[in-house]
Amino acid sequence: MPPTATQHDSALKFERHPIRTDVVIVGAGPCGLFQVFELGLLGLKAHVVDSLPVPGGQCVELYPDKPIYDIPAVPVCTGQELTDRLLEQIRPFGAGMHLGQEVTEVQRREDGRFRVVTSAATVFDAGAVVIAGGVGSFQSRRLSVPGAAELEGKYIHYRVKDPRAYADQDVVILGGGDSALDWTLALVEHARSVVLVHRRPEFRGAPASVARLYALREAQRADVLIGNVKEVTAVGGVLKSISVQGGDGVVRRLETDQVLAFFGLHPKLGPIAEWGLEIDKRQLGVDTQKFQTSVPGIYAVGDINTYPGKKKLILSGFHEAALAAFSIKEFLDPGKKVPLQYTTTSPLMHKRLGVTEEIEIGRKAVGS
Ligand code: FAD
């Protein structure tokens, strides 16, 4: 899609003044977030970019309410709780968060630093790059019927930016999970009519939302249709209707102004594959001392990397982030030894963490 005038202006602004930073981290999953912490302890400033609108990666996108039992010293926490704790832990380091934008380009500059560009035209001038891209950037599953692709963005959408945009419109929502249910319940307050179309009578979303949906149907404020979308009909580039085939084989035509499709997300390695890095089965090969990729200055931690014995576990990614941080510090400051300091006792670590003497004294007083 060509950039809008505003995006173009902001692109020019960032080109003239790219954000200069020590490190850009691609991916705000648990490993990308913990990378901020490990870099921060060594005095390095990071900016994090994620294509999702919220941090947390797979933990938040795929299992926010499910318990995780193998985070050291945390007997149990959900995917969302782990993310919230990581965000709290990295707060002292004030990392820049750039969400809802994909990193599209990583190029080495003539001075040896890196030019990193996002889909929102944000440009960074970074000393090093850490790719914590997990299984890739999550993309919405598309409605794959003839004619749908041409209507994307104007009449067929995969995300709601502003519910008020649907005021006085006939809206068809596709899907059976929480997003489809939540937006059906929300848009009833704005749209002229809302019909939820799902391929089977069972919904994957929260039972309370399903109950509310059927209550709205009972009150004739929303409708539910079970079946598969067969085609979309547009006249002169304007969406007119969609056709849905039910389990009885009958194809019903629904007149509509807008279609919102929520078929879930699927990960795509996407632009990472184009940055000239060695890739083995959709993963980036790294060494186990520095976690550096085939390009010096570009590192990879978490699910995206591979090495002999690799286990795709959060705790493995945390260890990788710690070693990568030491290596990055040496890469940015060649020839200087990076001493290991304990957070328990090092005044420098306390300063970087923003731990004041009063807090320390308070902790001692309560015996913690
Ligand atoms: P991810 O969590 O995948 O995050 C990567 C992020 O990078 C994503 O948000 C993505 O949008 C972003 N990204 C990718 N490419 C780009 C780009 N070009 N630009 C911008 N952003 C990009 N592990 C455990 O240790 N214990 C468990 O109990 C456990 N349970 C699990 C249960 C389920 C159901 C699943 C699916 C996984 C589970 N895992 C568990 C695995 C764990 O979630 C992963 O190991 C972990 O999420 C990897 O973290 P990450 O930061 O490397 O990547």
Side-chain angles (χ1 to χ4, degrees), residues 21-315:
T21 182
D22 293 320
V23 183
V24 166
I25 300 170
V26 182
C31 304
L33 295 179
F34 195 63
Q35 185 69 71
V36 171
F37 183 79
E38 289 296 325
L39 290 167
L41 285 183
L42 298 181
L44 297 175
K45 171 95 184 148
H47 281 258
V48 186
V49 186
D50 203 300
S51 48
L52 292 173
V54 288
Q58 293 174 54
C59 298
V60 165
E61 207 49 53
L62 303 181
Y63 57 102
D65 303 323
K66 287 205 168 61
I68 309 173
Y69 298 99
D70 57 349
I71 303 298
V74 182
V76 59
C77 70
T78 65
Q80 184 64 57
E81 282 163 357
L82 176 70
T83 304
D84 293 343
R85 286 175 188 214
L86 284 166
L87 288 170
E88 189 186 334
Q89 193 170 21
I90 67 174
R91 192 173 302 132
F93 303 114
M97 282 284 177
H98 308 265
L99 301 172
Q101 44 191 298
E102 187 177 46
V103 174
T104 49
E105 275 177 57
V106 174
Q107 279 170 358
R108 187 185 283 285
R109 296 162 24 129
E110 275 181 9
D111 60 3
R113 291 174 61 84
F114 293 93
R115 180 175 185 272
V116 180
V117 184
T118 79
S119 54
T122 312
V123 182
F124 300 93
D125 164 3
V129 176
V130 178
I131 303 175
V135 282
S137 81
F138 287 100
Q139 319 272 327
S140 303
R141 285 202 169 85
R142 298 295 205 251
L143 173 63
S144 57
V145 295
E150 294 86 72
L151 301 173
E152 267 182 30
K154 209 162 178 196
Y155 301 105
I156 298 180
H157 313 269
Y158 299 96
R159 187 168 280 180
V160 177
K161 285 196 198 113
D162 181 3
R164 288 167 305 183
Y166 298 91
D168 300 325
Q169 307 243 336
D170 295 321
V171 180
V172 169
I173 296 181
L174 310 176
D178 281 316
S179 301
L181 284 163
D182 290 350
W183 280 117
T184 302
L185 302 178
L187 287 180
V188 160
E189 307 300 331
H190 300 273
R192 183 166 46 219
S193 74
V194 181
V195 181
L196 177 60
V197 176
H198 183 38
R199 61 192 156 81
R200 51 198 185 94
E202 295 79 29
F203 288 90
R204 292 187 314 279
S209 306
V210 179
R212 277 188 62 205
L213 171 72
Y214 281 109
L216 283 172
R217 188 195 208 187
E218 196 66 22
Q220 299 191 344
R221 292 187 58 208
D223 204 357
V224 179
L225 186 61
I226 306 303
N228 286 308
V229 178
K230 285 290 161 194
E231 65 177 4
V232 294
T233 306
V235 177
V238 179
L239 175 69
K240 292 292 171 193
S241 64
I242 68 162
S243 302
V244 179
Q245 185 171 36
D248 52 7
V250 177
V251 176
R252 294 170 178 85
R253 224 173 72 179
L254 287 175
E255 287 187 5
T256 188
D257 298 313
Q258 300 287 337
V259 172
L260 292 164
F262 299 106
F263 298 141
L265 300 162
H266 69 106
K268 215 174 109 202
L269 192 55
I272 295 173
E274 289 147 31
W275 300 339
L277 306 165
E278 259 169 38
I279 295 182
D280 178 18
K281 296 196 189 96
R282 292 166 49 86
Q283 270 138 1
L284 302 173
V286 291
D287 65 275
T288 51
Q289 184 190 345
K290 300 176 172 174
F291 295 93
Q292 189 166 253
T293 65
S294 54
V295 174
I298 303 186
Y299 299 76
V301 299
D303 279 12
I304 192 98
N305 75 14
T306 183
Y307 52 84
K310 166 76 182 183
K311 296 284 175 279
K312 288 191 184 185
L313 286 171
I314 296 165
L315 69 86

